[in-house]
Structure formats: C-alpha cells, structure tokens
C-alpha cells in the first residue's frame, strides 16, 4: 500500500500534523511515474513533469497539504509549459496561472506534472496528441479515453490520487469510465475557466478525477467557487462536497432515462448498469423510468456548437505573438497559413473547418441557430425531469469499455459516438459524474450520474453509495520494476 | 448640388472612445502615449485561457451617450465576436455588439432644426495598432490600444450635404464632451468617423449604391472628402456610369479619394454571441438613474444661457461646451455679477489660465466666489482691468483671495485727483507739440496722451478719471 493509496483527506491531515513529510508523496508519485514508462508500452500519461516539487514555495497546510496532483495540460500552470497537446503551443509558458491551479496550490497541493490530452481537448482517446498517445493502464493496447486521458491514466495507475481534467463533451467522465476512476464535471460556472485554454467556451468546465468518490469530491471542493476573472463563473456558495459522500441514498429518486439504454448498447455495459441500479435500489433509492426525448439531437448540436466556438477560440494561434511560428513565411497571410498548417493536427483542423462553415453567412441560421434550439430543447428535458421530482439520473458513461488504440482514430463519426451519453450534460450545463461500476473482461466500466444545476452534492451522495455497494474495481497491475509495491 | 436634380444621401459611423481610463474587458490603462506594448495583460493580449470581464463603468458612459441621443435602451444586449485575422487583433476576433446592440432608434437635432435619426449605439473594444513605418520591411504591432472601450454611433442616411454632416459631428462631439463621455480628441484617435455617401434623384426614397469614405481625421476633412466624393459620383452618373460599392480612403494631401477595397468581396465576419460574456442585462432602475443624472443637455442649456443671461451665441457655445464650465459660469453669475462681464472673464482670462495648466475650475484660487470678489473690485474701480488680470493669475497660482494679492502687490487703482493731476500736468508739459496739434483739432491725439499718463502711473491710474482730467487740462488752456 503506497501513501498515495489512502484517501487524500487523511493523507493531508498526516502532512499537516507533521507525521508525513510534505514532499514525500510527490517523490513517490514521480517514482511511480518512472516505473510506468518502463518497457515496450510506456503509459505516456504526462507531457511535462515537475521533478523539483519540493522546491515549490507554497503553503504546506490546507486540505490538500502535500498531496501530489496532476494537471491536464490545458490549464496554464506556473513553472510548467502548457501545450494543450499541440505543436502550435510548442515552448509556450504562460506568464499567469489558471485560477483552479492557484487554488490547488493555496490548498497545499504539489503539482507534479502536466498530463497528456487530445490536442486542444478534441478527441475521446488521447490519440490526438502531438506527444503520442497515452495508454490505458488496465490494458496497454487500449485507449484511456479522452480528452483527459493522461489525467485519468495517471490516477488509475496510482501515480497520483487526484488530477484535474476538463470536460467539454465528456472529456473527464469518459476517460474516468475507461480507466476505472471517478470523474466529475461540475455545473457550468462552478469552477473558474480563467486559465483553462478554451476549446468550446459555453461547454468547457474544469473537472476533478480521483481514485475514490471522496477524493474527487475533496479536489472539486478546493477548486470550486466564484472567480471575478471569469464572467461565466457563478457567485454562489459551494456546499460541503466531501460531507455529501456520507449521506446515503435512502429516499433518493433515481431516474433511468430510456434513451441512454439503446438496443445497440454493449451487453456487458448494459448488465453492469443494471447491477448498479439494483445496488442503488438496495440502498434505499427509488428507481423511476424517465424519458429525455431530445437526447438524439445532442450529438449533432454538440458537433455544430463546439466546433463553431472552437473555430473562433483557436484563431489566436496565428504565429504572431506566441507558440509556433513558421520562419519561411513571406507575407502575413502565409505566416498564418503555414504556422497553422504545421501547428494543428488533423482533428483540430477538421473542427476548425466545420465550425467556420457553421458560422458562415448564409449557413448560420441553418446550423448554429438550429443547434442552439436543439441545445435549449435538451436543457428543457433535464429541467422538466428534475422539476418532476427526480434527484439524479443514472446512465452508462460510454456505450463500450475502452477500445483499442487505432481502432477509431480514422473514423471520426464512431469516435464522436463514444460521447453520446455525456454531451447532454454539457449542453444543459448540469453537473455529471462517472463512477466505476465493474469490470468487463478486465476493462473498467463507468456509470454516469447527472443532477440538477448546482447539485454536485446529490451526485456525490449517489456515487458514494454506488461505490460502497459495488466495491471499487481495484487497481491495474503495477508494472514490474516499480518500486512502490 | 442646390440646383441639381440629384441629392446627396449621407450616413455617419462614429467611433467614440469612452473616458473610463481603463480597458473594456481588463484593468489596463488607456492613457495615450505609453511606450509600445506596456499597457497590456493576458486578457488584452489574448493569451491562452484568459477571459474578458466587462467594465461596468464603460457601460454607464455608453448608456449616458445613448440616452443623450434619445435612444431606446435595450434591457438585454449581447456581445458578439467579429472574427477576422489581423496582426493587431490578438484574439483573432473583436468583441463588439451585433444583432442585439445596447441601444437603437435615437436622434440628434442639427442647428438648422433638421432631425437626424440614430440607427444604433453599441459598445465594442478597439484593436491594436500596426505600425508600418517603424522598421524597414517589417510591421510592428503595438497592443496598448487593444481593448480600449468604444461606442459606435451609426446614423441613418439622413444627412443631405457635407455641411450637415459636419454640423451633425459637431453636435455629437459637443454632447460627448459635455457629458464627460469622451474628450473626442481626434488626433489621438478618440473620435473616428467613417461616412457613407450616395446620390439619388431629389425626392426619391430609394437608397442607391453607396461608398464608404474612411481616414477622415478632422471635421473639415469630413466636409472636404464628402464634397469631393459627391462630385466624383455626380460625374460618374453624368457620364452614364454606375457607382459601385467601395471603401475609399481620403487622401488629405492630394485632396482626393482612392479605392481601398471593393465591397463586393466583403469579408464574412462570422459574428456569433461571445460565450465568454453573459448577455448584458440592464435594470430599469439603473437606466432611470443614469437618465436622471444627465440633467440639462447642451442644446437646452445653450438656449437658456442666451435667454436668461442675454449672451451672444458664441458665448453660449463656449460656456456650454462642458458641464463643469457651464456650472462654473452660473456659480459666478449667482454671486451677483453681470452675466456678460462674467462671460468675458470666464471665456478669456479664466480659460486661458486653465489651458495653461496653472489651475483648473475646481482650484480654490479660482472658486466662483473668488472670481466674483475680483470682479467687484473691478466694478468699484479699485482695480483696472489690466491689474485684475495680474491678480487673477496670482489667485490661480497661489490660491490667495484677490484682496490679499492686491494689497501685497500694490495693484490698487490710483483715483486721488491730486496724484492724477500731477501725472496729467507732467505729460502735458512734456509733449507741447502733440498738445498743440490736439488743440488745432487733431483730437485723436487724446489717446496718445492718455497712454502717456497711464504709462507714467505704472498703469495704476483710474483711466476714466484720467480721461476727464486730461480733457479738462487740454481744453482749459486752449486759446
């Protein structure tokens, strides 16, 4: 049992009381990371590591005192480069730090590294990274999911107990599901986006990953709260989230939306979801069949809105002020053209083109306008369901367990469908979480919980109950040669 | 144009920099003339992850402008992104308002009584500056201006001559200055004008293809450029040609316009609501309080000043150019001084002192009561006008009351006949030739002799009494 395997709250308490040295867990994390890089199939969860963690001059107490935390590489972080998994941000070091990262440090955490991701968070497998794919620690020929695949893999591998990710259409929950960890996307506006490199601003939200529900809750509680630097961050109190894990689900109404259990669902995933529902029922929750009829519009709406916003958000990577700059350009137009052609990967280019098209004069109403209508309809589905007395919705997180590396990378449409159950929460802005509900042939499967705006506490209550009833999925086998056994 | 069967149809787009001192979406300073790229931060540099937060102060100024232009204020307006690539546009888009602007449907009244409709007033951020002449074969970019708060005022094409366009701009400028919305300094780019112009048959309601004239950096440039462009369009039509939609640049040196780009290949800006900024929601109470705070607008004040104080139009113009100045003037008059006298003093010596930066209207030395005291001394004859100007300068510099300065510097007017008579006698004795010529009927020499007496007195003599004594002396000894 490593120090990292116990709950972060307990470990932080040991650091605060002086029983555990402040930098010791970070040192162990770096050692474990090294072990996972051995052999023919390195994990490749990190883009950058902070080997001098103990030099950080930060508060050494707080709720995360001494806890090693990994940060997705789209949150600008002092002392580290920020690449977003893209060549276009090669060598970029931000002169300022993201609010969420600042809050981590203020809580005493040690930032041990920046995690791998699909370029600009566009992808569901972490294969779209300029720094090579991350592998799934449960099965090295499988993807860890994405786009926060590096963060999910680092937590699943036991390198760090908690990590920050970001979730635009499922990018925290789907990799959490594939890697057998807990991942939560809070309500839109709960965590500041200041310093989160934008993909699709109206959908992006910083999320927390942890080995347990409680760890994820502890991390989320630290980074939540109003930030005057983000006009979309909302000024309302953060309820005690770690404490919500204790409440129990007796009397809780769990909605089961039929649209999330289609006939094409992987049968193992279906069986595990069924088992999870029985477990909730056994713990005293009331199950209720519900319908969210506009769910089928979610993927098409998402793949208009997200690329549209991305096409504008990514315009700033033009080679003029920072990041990659083509040296051979002989005019401003060529500078843009060459820097962007060389700097962006295929999927990013695809989405910029899609988004530019969707916003073009003459097409705006037919695409962007209608997508916004669909988005509003999806949001109304949720509002109605929660108004009618449903406390939390339960669905599978993804239709399948982790797929093979290379399996979908050349089939964007199939890749997009791995987010079919997760994009709705982003479109509606509601909080959602993925919690492990079992193993399918050695691969973790996650169950998704969704609640009304600002009810992260309800999500955590239900997730903690599932975790208690089903037990954790355990850890993947630690690679040989690792000194942390 | 007067007798032509064609009439000009002119609309204006005016960008006005809001005098908040800070940028629209971050707290950087907008002071003019800072070294390049020093008034910048992650937000206005468009660094990855940085987010805009709207400055409420800029919204208040924009609202004042819209209210003064009699616009309908929209309780919800939306910031949108205008997407285009340009080196001085760091984010690759400008945050502006498009489909849902702050305010619409206002009006301004020209001096000739015609009303010009205002189509819209919206808020936006400025771009940076590309400097093409700083380095050989390279363009330099200065991002200090990036994010500067602007309003764009768009008029309907209701103007019918270059003169009307100029008058409309003067009116707008006056309003913005008076309300403290902008200093409207055109040299620093705080007020920028583009004009749309087309021609049509007099009496027709149809809108013809128009051209847009840019680079108009003074009001006279607007008037001249529009005149030139109207002539150009008239010629094209006379030759049977058609005017095409174009953007033109005014070349002040050459006195002509040249084509900048054809509008036909106009850019698609792919506007969409900025997801980083929630819609701007204005409460009725906020709008009402700003409306109440506007007070009397310059036009009404101008009319009242002419009526109530009997001032000439010029005086009323100057005195109502800003609210602090108008208030100052009225405060001095309220101390019981004659309105036209006060006007002369305020427009002359007082404003001169302010322009030289010696004091401003709120300095204690220039307090309305102090100026009134000074004018009492002049009215009583204690001080000559010349001496009073010296005293005023002293008041501004030291903050002392006029009485103290008069005593300290010995500037009291000399009115004792004994003293005055001696100066008069001395001058008459010293200038026998001029005295003789005066007595022979060359009466204009009185002025010369007056001047000699005043000089002898060190300018302290009471000129009215000197005049009387001098005439008496000259006439008495005649014969």
């Amino acid at each position: 049992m490593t120090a990292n395997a116990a709950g972060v709250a307990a470990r932080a308490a040991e650091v605060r009381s002086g029983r555990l040295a402040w930098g010791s867990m970070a040192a162990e994390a770096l050692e474990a990371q090294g072990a996972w890089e051995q052999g023919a199939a390195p994990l490749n969860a990190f883009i950058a590591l902070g080997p001098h963690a103990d030099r950080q001059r930060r508060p050494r107490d707080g709720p995360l005192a001494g806890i090693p935390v990994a940060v997705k590489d789209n949150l600008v972080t002092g002392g580290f480069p920020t690449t977003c998994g893209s060549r276009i941000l090669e060598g970029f070091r931000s002169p300022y730090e993201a609010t969420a990262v600042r809050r981590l440090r203020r809580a005493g955490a040690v930032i041990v590294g920046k995690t791998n991701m699909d370029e600009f968070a566009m992808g569901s497998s972490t294969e779209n990274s300029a720094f090579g794919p991350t592998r799934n620690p449960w099965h090295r020929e499988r993807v860890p999911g994405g786009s926060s695949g590096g963060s999910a893999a680092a937590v699943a591998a036991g390198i760090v107990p908690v990590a920050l990710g970001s979730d635009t259409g499922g990018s925290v929950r789907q990799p959490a599901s594939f890697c057998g960890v807990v991942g939560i996307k809070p309500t839109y506006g709960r965590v500041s986006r200041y310093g989160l490199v934008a993909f699709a601003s109206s959908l992006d939200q910083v999320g927390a990953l942890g080995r347990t529900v409680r760890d994820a809750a502890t991390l989320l509680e630290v980074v939540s709260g109003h930030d005057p630097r983000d006009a979309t961050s909302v000024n309302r109190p953060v309820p005690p989230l770690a404490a919500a894990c204790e409440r129990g689900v007796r009397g809780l109404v769990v909605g089961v939306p039929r649209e999330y259990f289609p006939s094409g669902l992987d049968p193992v995933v279906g069986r595990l979801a069924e088992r999870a529902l029985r477990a909730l029922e056994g713990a005293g929750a009331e199950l209720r069949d519900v319908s969210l009829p506009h769910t089928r519009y979610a993927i098409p709406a998402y793949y208009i809105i997200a690329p549209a916003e991305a096409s504008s958000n990514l315009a700033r990577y033009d080679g003029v002020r920072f990041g990659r700059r083509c040296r051979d350009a002989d005019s401003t137009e060529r500078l843009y053209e060459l820097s962007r052609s060389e700097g962006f990967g295929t999927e990013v280019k695809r989405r910029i083109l899609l988004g530019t098209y969707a916003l073009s004069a003459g097409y705006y109403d037919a695409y962007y306008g209608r997508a916004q209508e669909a988005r509003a309809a999806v949001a109304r589905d949720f509002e109605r369901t929660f108004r009618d007395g449903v406390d939390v919705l339960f669905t599978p997180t993804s239709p399948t367990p982790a797929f093979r590396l290379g399996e979908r990378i050349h089939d964007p449409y199939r890749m997009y469908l791995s987010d079919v159950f997760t994009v709705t929460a982003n479109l509606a802005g509601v909080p959602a979480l993925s919690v492990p509900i079992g193993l399918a042939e050695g691969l973790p499967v996650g169950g998704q919980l969704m609640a009304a705006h600002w009810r992260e506490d309800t999500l955590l209550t239900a997730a903690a109950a599932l975790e208690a009833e089903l037990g954790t999925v355990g850890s993947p086998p630690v690679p040989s040669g690792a000194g942390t056994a | 144009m007067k007798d032509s069967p064609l009439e000009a149809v002119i609309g204006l787009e005016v960008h006005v920099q809001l005098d908040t001192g800070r940028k629209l979406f971050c707290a950087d300073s907008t002071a003019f003339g800072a070294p390049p790229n020093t008034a910048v931060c992650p937000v206005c540099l468009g660094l990855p992850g940085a987010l805009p937060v709207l400055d409420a102060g800029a919204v208040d100024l924009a609202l004042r402008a819209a209210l003064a232009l009699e616009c309908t204020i929209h309780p919800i307006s939306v910031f949108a992104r205008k997407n285009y690539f340009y080196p001085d546009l760091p984010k690759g888009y400008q945050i502006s308002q498009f489909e849902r602007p702050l305010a619409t449907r206002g009006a301004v009244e020209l001096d000739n009584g015609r009303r010009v409709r205002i189509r819209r007033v919206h808020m936006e951020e400025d771009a940076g500056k590309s400097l093409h002449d700083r380095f050989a074969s390279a363009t330099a970019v200065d991002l200090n201006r990036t994010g500067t708060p602007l309003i764009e005022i768009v008029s309907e094409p209701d103007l019918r001559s270059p003169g009307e366009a100029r008058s409309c701009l003067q009116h707008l400028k006056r309003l913005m200055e008076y309300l403290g919305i902008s200093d409207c300094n055109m040299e620093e780019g705080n007020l920028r004008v583009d004009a749309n112009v087309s021609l049509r048959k007099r009496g027709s309601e149809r809108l013809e293809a128009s051209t847009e004239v840019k680079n108009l950096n003074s009001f006279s440039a607007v008037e001249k450029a529009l005149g030139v462009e109207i002539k150009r369009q008239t010629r094209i039509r006379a030759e049977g040609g058609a005017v095409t939609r174009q953007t033109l640049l005014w070349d002040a040196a050459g006195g002509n316009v040249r084509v900048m780009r054809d509008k036909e290949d106009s850019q698609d800006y792919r506007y969409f609501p900025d997801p980083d900024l929630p819609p701007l929601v204005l409460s009725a109470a906020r709008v009402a309080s700003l409306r109440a705070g506007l007070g009397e607008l310059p036009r009404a004040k101008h009319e009242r000043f002419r009526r109530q104080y009997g001032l000439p139009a010029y005086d009323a113009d100057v005195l109502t150019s800003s609210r602090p100045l108008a208030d100052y003037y009225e405060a001095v008059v309220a101390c019981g001084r004659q309105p036209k006298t006060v006007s002369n003093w305020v427009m002359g010596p007082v404003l001169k002192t302010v322009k030289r930066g010696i004091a401003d209207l709120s300095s204690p030395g220039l307090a309305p009561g102090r100026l009134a005291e000074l004018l009492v001394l002049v009215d009583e004859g204690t001080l000559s006008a010349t001496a009073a100007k010296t005293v005023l300068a002293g008041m501004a510099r030291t903050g002392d009351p006029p009485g103290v300065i008069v005593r300290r510097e010995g500037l009291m007017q000399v009115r004792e006949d004994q003293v005055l008579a001696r100066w008069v006698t001395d001058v008459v004795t010293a200038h026998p030739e001029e005295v003789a010529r005066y007595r022979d009927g060359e009466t204009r020499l009185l002025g010369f002799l007056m001047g000699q007496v005043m000089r002898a007195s060190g300018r302290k003599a009471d000129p009215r009494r000197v005049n009387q004594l001098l005439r008496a002396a000259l006439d008495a000894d005649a014969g």
Side-chain angles (χ1 to χ4, degrees):
Chain A
M1 191 75 158
T2 72
N4 287 346
V8 297
R11 285 311 183 193
E14 287 184 52
V15 171
R16 286 196 300 273
S17 71
R19 278 199 302 276
L20 198 55
W22 188 76
S24 64
M25 284 185 281
E28 283 176 21
L30 292 166
E31 205 180 316
Q33 191 277 333
W36 281 95
E37 294 309 304
Q38 307 298 315
L43 194 63
N44 197 30
F46 287 85
I47 292 175
L49 283 163
H52 307 300
D54 54 345
R55 278 198 220 149
Q56 294 184 69
R57 292 189 304 116
R58 301 292 163 188
R60 300 200 167 193
D61 56 9
L64 295 178
I67 302 296
V69 181
V71 173
K72 189 177 181 180
D73 204 25
N74 60 353
L75 284 155
V76 298
T77 308
F80 289 92
T82 297
T83 68
C84 286
S86 182
R87 253 188 293 276
I88 208 153
L89 275 173
E90 224 165 47
F92 176 71
R93 281 175 180 268
S94 172
Y96 77 101
E97 185 157 89
T99 300
V101 178
R102 279 179 45 210
R103 288 184 174 169
L104 278 185
R105 295 199 203 262
R106 214 170 52 200
V110 188
I111 314 295
V112 294
K114 302 295 294 290
T115 56
N116 202 4
M117 56 184 284
D118 286 300
E119 185 178 6
F120 284 101
M122 297 176 188
S124 308
S125 67
T126 315
E127 290 167 291
N128 298 328
S129 167
F131 304 92
T134 294
R135 293 168 185 274
N136 191 317
W138 290 85
H139 192 304
R140 308 270 193 108
E141 292 312 312
R142 302 260 171 176
V143 302
S147 64
S148 310
S151 288
V155 173
I159 298 168
V160 287
V162 287
L164 286 183
S166 70
D167 190 315
T168 306
S171 278
V172 161
R173 291 160 285 157
Q174 185 255 21
S177 153
F178 281 14
C179 291
V181 301
V182 177
I184 180 164
K185 178 206 90 77
T187 311
Y188 186 80
R190 178 65 94 187
V191 181
S192 170
R193 291 187 298 115
Y194 191 71
L196 170 67
V197 180
F199 158 20
S201 315
S202 73
L203 300 160
D204 295 342
Q205 192 64 193
V206 174
L209 296 108
R211 306 204 64 193
T212 63
V213 174
R214 195 174 315 264
D215 284 356
T218 303
L219 179 63
L220 181 62
E221 204 171 315
V222 164
V223 297
S224 291
H226 179 241
D227 178 9
R229 290 182 180 277
D230 174 2
T232 63
S233 116
V234 174
N235 194 357
R236 52 187 298 153
V238 182
L241 297 178
C245 301
E246 312 294 339
R247 261 179 230 154
V249 293
R250 186 154 299 280
L252 206 74
V253 178
V254 178
V256 185
R258 67 179 67 100
E259 291 80 5
Y260 289 72
F261 294 87
S263 54
L265 188 66
D266 184 308
V268 186
V269 172
R271 271 200 302 280
L272 290 171
E274 195 56 38
R275 185 174 74 118
L277 284 167
R278 294 302 143 228
L280 283 170
E281 201 173 33
E286 179 198 325
L287 303 188
R288 191 185 289 178
D289 284 332
V290 298
S291 171
L292 301 169
H294 296 94
T295 301
R296 64 196 163 111
Y297 300 116
I299 284 279
Y302 177 85
Y303 278 98
I304 296 295
I305 293 168
E309 293 180 8
S311 70
S312 173
N313 282 331
L314 270 58
R316 67 189 63 189
Y317 308 104
D318 56 8
V320 173
R321 294 164 312 283
F322 51 78
R324 190 184 182 89
R325 178 194 188 105
C326 173
R327 297 280 153 202
D328 310 323
D330 52 7
S331 70
T332 312
E333 285 67 27
R334 287 293 282 168
L335 173 69
Y336 296 150
E337 204 179 310
L338 293 172
S339 301
R340 289 167 69 81
S341 299
E342 296 168 2
F344 289 136
T346 308
E347 184 60 26
V348 171
K349 286 177 189 163
R350 178 167 20 242
R351 298 205 197 184
I352 289 174
L353 289 173
L354 272 173
T356 303
Y357 184 79
L359 290 176
S360 299
Y363 298 100
Y364 180 90
D365 292 337
Y367 292 103
Y368 192 77
R370 294 202 61 191
Q372 292 294 357
E373 286 168 27
R375 179 180 191 168
V378 167
R380 280 195 303 272
D381 281 354
F382 281 102
E383 276 160 35
R384 183 179 41 75
T385 306
F386 294 126
R387 202 177 47 233
D388 290 351
V390 170
D391 294 305
V392 66
L393 293 162
F394 179 87
T395 77
T397 305
S398 191
T400 66
F403 44 87
R404 289 180 185 282
L405 283 162
E407 189 182 319
R408 298 190 183 178
I409 194 70
H410 301 297
D411 186 350
Y413 186 67
R414 270 190 75 209
M415 186 72 94
Y416 295 173
L417 286 181
S418 43
D419 294 334
V420 66
F421 299 149
T422 48
V423 294
T424 49
N426 299 85
L427 290 171
V430 298
L433 170 157
S434 177
V435 58
I437 55 171
L439 292 172
E441 290 160 27
L443 294 173
V445 171
Q448 177 176 237
L449 294 159
M450 297 184 275
H453 286 91
W454 315 113
R455 296 316 302 266
E456 286 85 355
D457 55 345
T458 312
L459 285 185
L460 292 162
T461 299
L466 273 176
E467 191 178 60
E469 294 295 319
L470 300 173
T472 67
V473 293
S475 304
V478 177
S480 58
T484 55
Chain B
M1 282 305 287
K2 280 262 157 45
D3 312 314
S4 156
L6 296 176
E7 69 175 357
V9 179
I10 299 167
L12 298 174
E13 287 173 20
V14 183
H15 285 90
V16 176
Q17 176 173 335
L18 300 173
D19 265 349
T20 56
R22 53 159 284 178
K23 295 189 179 181
L24 187 53
F25 298 113
C26 60
D28 290 311
S29 158
T30 53
F32 184 79
N37 299 309
T38 55
V40 292
C41 75
V43 176
C44 58
L45 287 175
L47 291 187
L51 295 171
V53 177
L54 179 63
D55 173 33
V59 176
D60 282 349
L61 285 189
L63 282 172
R64 290 175 70 141
L67 287 166
L69 293 168
E70 303 172 31
C71 288
T72 304
I73 307 294
H74 297 294
I76 298 179
S77 60
V78 172
F79 285 95
R81 294 185 183 178
K82 178 180 182 179
N83 295 285
Y84 64 98
F85 284 96
Y86 206 74
D88 62 23
L89 190 71
K91 298 189 295 295
Y93 57 85
Q94 177 197 27
I95 305 176
S96 180
Q97 294 188 307
F98 184 58
E99 272 186 352
R100 304 189 66 180
L102 184 75
T104 52
R105 294 195 306 279
V108 281
E109 196 178 309
L110 303 183
D111 289 337
N112 63 14
R114 279 195 357 98
R115 279 173 77 78
V116 176
R117 291 168 300 155
I118 299 295
R119 183 181 297 166
R120 58 189 275 150
V121 175
H122 73 249
M123 304 180 71
E124 63 185 29
E125 58 172 352
D126 207 345
K129 241 187 266 184
S130 290
L131 308 165
H132 300 289
D133 49 4
R134 195 68 159 262
F135 303 100
S137 76
T139 296
V141 174
D142 178 4
L143 297 177
N144 284 350
R145 209 177 65 184
T146 311
T148 296
L150 305 177
I151 48 172
E152 182 173 342
I153 301 168
V154 183
S155 85
E156 295 290 349
D158 289 351
L159 298 155
R160 294 292 168 264
S161 70
E164 276 194 354
R166 183 180 189 152
S167 160
C168 179
L169 286 169
Q170 275 162 341
H171 193 78
L172 285 176
K173 177 170 185 275
R174 180 182 182 77
L175 209 50
M176 298 301 127
E177 286 172 344
Y178 175 81
L179 291 170
I181 292 163
S182 177
D183 70 8
C184 294
N185 185 330
M186 290 186 85
E187 271 146 39
E188 293 179 4
N190 302 351
L191 187 152
R192 281 170 263 160
V193 184
D194 301 329
N196 289 292
V197 56
S198 63
L199 300 181
R200 70 178 174 203
K201 284 219 176 68
R202 204 172 286 278
S204 158
E205 289 296 311
R206 230 180 92 177
L207 288 179
E208 307 282 340
S210 65
T211 56
E212 184 181 7
V213 190
K214 285 184 176 287
N215 196 31
L216 303 171
N217 46 24
S218 69
F219 288 175
S220 63
V222 172
E223 198 172 0
K224 270 187 219 153
L226 283 172
V228 166
E229 174 55 11
I230 288 167
K231 269 195 200 119
R232 192 186 70 93
Q233 289 192 17
T234 309
R235 195 169 58 239
I236 290 173
R237 293 174 66 124
E239 290 163 359
V243 174
T244 52
R245 296 187 61 215
Q246 284 175 324
T247 301
L248 307 170
L249 275 185
W250 168 243
D251 172 7
N256 56 27
V257 293
R258 56 193 161 78
V259 179
M260 186 172 126
R261 60 170 177 259
D262 282 320
K263 284 250 176 175
E264 304 311 326
D265 49 54
S266 75
Q267 241 175 316
D268 179 359
Y269 290 116
R270 292 174 283 118
Y271 282 99
F272 75 107
D274 191 332
D276 289 330
L277 292 160
L280 173 58
V281 180
L282 299 168
S283 70
R286 181 172 175 187
V287 175
S289 121
L290 284 164
R291 193 189 299 274
L294 283 184
E296 190 182 29
L297 293 179
R299 174 177 296 278
K301 195 173 286 264
H302 183 270
E303 278 161 23
R304 181 169 63 79
F305 273 33
R306 295 203 58 186
R307 199 176 57 241
Q308 183 176 343
Y309 302 120
L311 294 178
Y314 176 77
D315 294 40
D317 266 353
V318 174
L319 295 174
T320 59
S321 62
S322 84
R323 181 141 63 184
L325 183 61
D327 289 348
Y328 180 81
Y329 169 76
E330 294 207 278
V332 183
V333 174
C335 294
R337 297 299 94 202
Q338 204 272 326
K340 177 59 185 156
T341 308
V342 176
S343 170
N344 292 343
W345 275 85
V346 170
M347 293 196 306
V350 171
L351 277 187
K352 196 183 286 176
T353 310
V354 170
K355 276 188 192 125
R356 283 182 184 160
I358 298 165
D360 57 54
L361 293 179
S362 57
S363 305
L366 290 184
R370 293 278 175 83
L371 179 62
E373 278 175 47
L374 179 70
L375 299 188
V376 169
L377 294 176
V378 177
D379 286 351
E380 286 173 355
T382 309
L383 275 182
S384 70
T386 316
K389 282 175 194 161
T390 311
V391 174
L392 183 77
M395 287 158 62
R397 212 170 33 245
T398 64
D400 291 336
V404 171
I405 296 171
V406 168
R407 275 193 298 281
R408 189 168 58 218
E409 310 207 354
L411 291 166
M412 222 106 55
Q413 191 154 264
V414 178
R415 300 159 80 191
E416 292 84 4
D417 276 0
Q418 279 167 288
V419 185
L420 297 178
R422 196 161 59 240
W423 286 329
V424 167
T425 312
D426 288 353
V427 165
V428 169
T429 316
H431 296 89
E433 194 186 321
E434 284 80 3
V435 169
R437 279 163 55 199
Y438 173 88
R439 286 176 179 158
D440 285 346
E442 214 177 315
T443 51
R444 63 183 177 83
L445 281 168
L446 182 67
F448 166 77
L449 294 166
M450 270 290 296
Q452 295 304 309
V453 178
M454 292 306 290
R455 184 192 282 183
S457 76
R459 305 245 157 239
K460 285 190 223 167
D462 173 1
R464 224 169 354 170
R465 189 63 190 142
V466 169
N467 187 287
Q468 288 165 358
L469 291 174
L470 187 60
R471 277 174 190 276
L474 294 169
D475 296 343
D477 293 345

